[in-house]
């Protein structure tokens, strides 16, 4: 199954796809009039359609059927990370996080942050591509760089985890997490969270977690932590 993206879908019977999706359908996949395709609005809808016009600039599609809340999970995963200096590593992580399953990602401005800005537009494209590739109908939310102190004071998830390399007492995710819990996981920069940030996190109800004996890069730690949450929900 190939999946195509139609943002802002509002129950129209006939939809026109944008240039990128239209070109992929007609020029790359060579799908013709009368053939079935699948689309999503990124809000949980799996939409079955039929090609009425295979135009490489504006494919016209008739909507045949809609399945709402397609493969909706009963838990939510929010990842909050300090972006790495190398943008390629963050882009790799974002792609893999979407493939595994994530609902929201926030980029943090911390005391030891290596990067002060990110290209949201480029990251949105990576998210959409990974969503379609992994055949999920849920588009994760990407939040721009947010100050750590502001972020830590507004956490609403069931479980709040901060991964750090300090000597403070820490727990394993498997010993704290319960199936179905919503979770936010905070991952620091290469220089780790500062002592002051760790204290703020603890005061805000965060548990300090360890991911094992090895010291992991930001993107590796994020990938590993997300994978554990999904494993514990099986």
């Amino acid at each position: 199954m190939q999946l195509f993206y139609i943002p802002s879908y509002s129950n129209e019977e006939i939809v026109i796809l944008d240039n990128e999706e239209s070109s992929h359908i007609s020029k790359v996949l060579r799908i013709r009039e009368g053939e079935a395709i699948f689309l999503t609005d990124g809000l949980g809808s799996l939409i079955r359609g039929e090609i009425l016009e295979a135009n490489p600039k504006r494919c016209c599609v008739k909507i045949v059927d809609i399945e709402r809340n397609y493969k909706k999970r009963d838990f939510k995963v929010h990842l909050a990370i300090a972006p790495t200096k190398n943008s390629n590593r963050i882009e790799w992580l974002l792609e893999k996080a979407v493939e595994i399953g994530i609902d929201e990602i926030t980029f943090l401005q911390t005391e030891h942050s290596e990067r002060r800005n990110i290209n949201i537009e480029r990251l949105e494209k990576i998210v959409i591509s990974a969503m379609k590739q992994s055949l999920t109908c849920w588009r994760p939310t990407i939040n721009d760089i947010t100050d750590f102190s502001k972020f830590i004071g507004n956490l609403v998830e069931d479980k709040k985890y901060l991964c750090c390399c300090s000597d403070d007492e820490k727990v394993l995710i498997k010993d704290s997490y319960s199936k179905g819990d919503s979770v936010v996981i905070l991952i620091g920069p290469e220089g780790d969270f500062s002592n002051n940030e760790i204290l703020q996190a603890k005061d805000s109800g965060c548990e300090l977690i360890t991911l094992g004996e090895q010291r992991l890069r930001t993107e590796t730690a994020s990938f590993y932590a997300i994978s554990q949450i999904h494993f514990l929900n099986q």
Side-chain angles (χ1 to χ4, degrees):
M1 180 175 78
Q2 290 281 346
L3 191 61
F4 303 94
Y5 181 52
I6 47 169
S8 304
Y9 175 69
S10 54
N11 297 317
E12 301 96 330
E13 293 184 3
I14 305 294
V15 297
I16 305 297
L17 304 187
D18 63 23
N19 288 353
E20 183 177 347
E21 297 288 47
S22 296
S23 178
H24 191 208
I25 286 171
S26 60
K27 288 186 176 181
V28 180
L29 300 176
R30 299 188 181 278
I31 300 174
R32 298 303 179 218
E33 285 82 1
E35 294 189 52
I37 63 169
F38 289 91
L39 313 103
T40 185
D41 56 2
L43 300 173
S45 298
L46 179 64
I47 305 165
R48 185 164 63 90
E50 178 184 313
I51 298 289
L52 297 179
E53 181 183 359
N55 187 308
K57 293 185 177 180
R58 53 184 308 278
C59 269
C60 182
V61 181
K62 176 183 178 182
I63 303 305
V64 177
D65 183 60
I66 303 174
E67 182 178 347
R68 306 290 187 184
N69 294 320
Y70 180 72
K71 293 185 177 180
K72 184 177 182 178
R73 299 193 306 272
D74 58 2
F75 64 97
K76 292 186 177 181
V77 182
H78 183 178
L79 176 67
I81 59 171
T84 60
K85 186 175 182 180
N86 186 334
S87 59
N88 290 335
R89 286 161 52 191
I90 283 298
E91 292 175 5
W92 177 88
L93 167 62
L94 192 58
E95 179 184 75
K96 302 311 172 190
V98 175
E99 290 178 8
I100 294 173
I102 194 171
D103 300 279
E104 187 171 2
I105 183 167
T106 299
F107 293 98
L108 297 175
Q109 183 68 60
T110 69
E111 291 185 29
H112 299 155
S113 286
E114 301 173 287
R115 175 179 287 273
R116 304 287 173 174
N117 55 72
I118 54 174
N119 188 337
I120 285 286
E121 184 177 351
R122 176 171 173 79
L123 296 181
E124 290 282 8
K125 291 180 179 179
I126 292 171
V127 163
I128 292 170
S129 177
M131 177 186 70
K132 295 191 298 182
Q133 189 277 330
S134 58
L135 301 180
T136 179
C137 294
W138 300 92
R139 177 183 176 180
T141 299
I142 300 181
N143 301 315
D144 208 342
I145 291 184
T146 303
D147 180 75
F148 178 88
S149 296
K150 180 180 179 181
F151 180 80
I152 206 72
N154 293 284
L155 302 181
V156 297
E157 287 79 6
D158 299 323
K159 292 293 184 179
K160 309 169 186 67
Y161 295 139
L162 182 136
C163 181
C164 61
C165 300
S166 73
D167 293 329
D168 296 75
E169 184 176 350
K170 295 185 280 288
V171 299
L172 294 169
I173 291 177
K174 70 179 182 66
D175 294 330
S176 168
Y177 182 81
S178 297
K179 184 176 181 179
D181 284 343
S182 63
V183 60
V184 57
I185 305 168
L186 286 78
I187 306 288
E190 295 296 332
D192 204 3
F193 292 109
S194 69
N195 290 334
N196 180 53
E197 288 166 341
I198 293 172
L199 287 174
Q200 285 186 63
K202 291 168 70 174
D203 288 343
S204 297
C206 285
E207 292 183 76
L208 304 189
I209 60 168
T210 176
L211 300 178
E213 296 181 1
Q214 293 86 352
R215 186 168 187 173
L216 305 177
R217 288 183 179 273
T218 298
E219 70 276 16
T220 311
S222 302
F223 180 85
Y224 183 68
I226 294 169
S227 298
Q228 284 197 57
I229 297 299
H230 277 270
F231 177 77
L232 292 169
N233 273 285
Q234 290 180 353

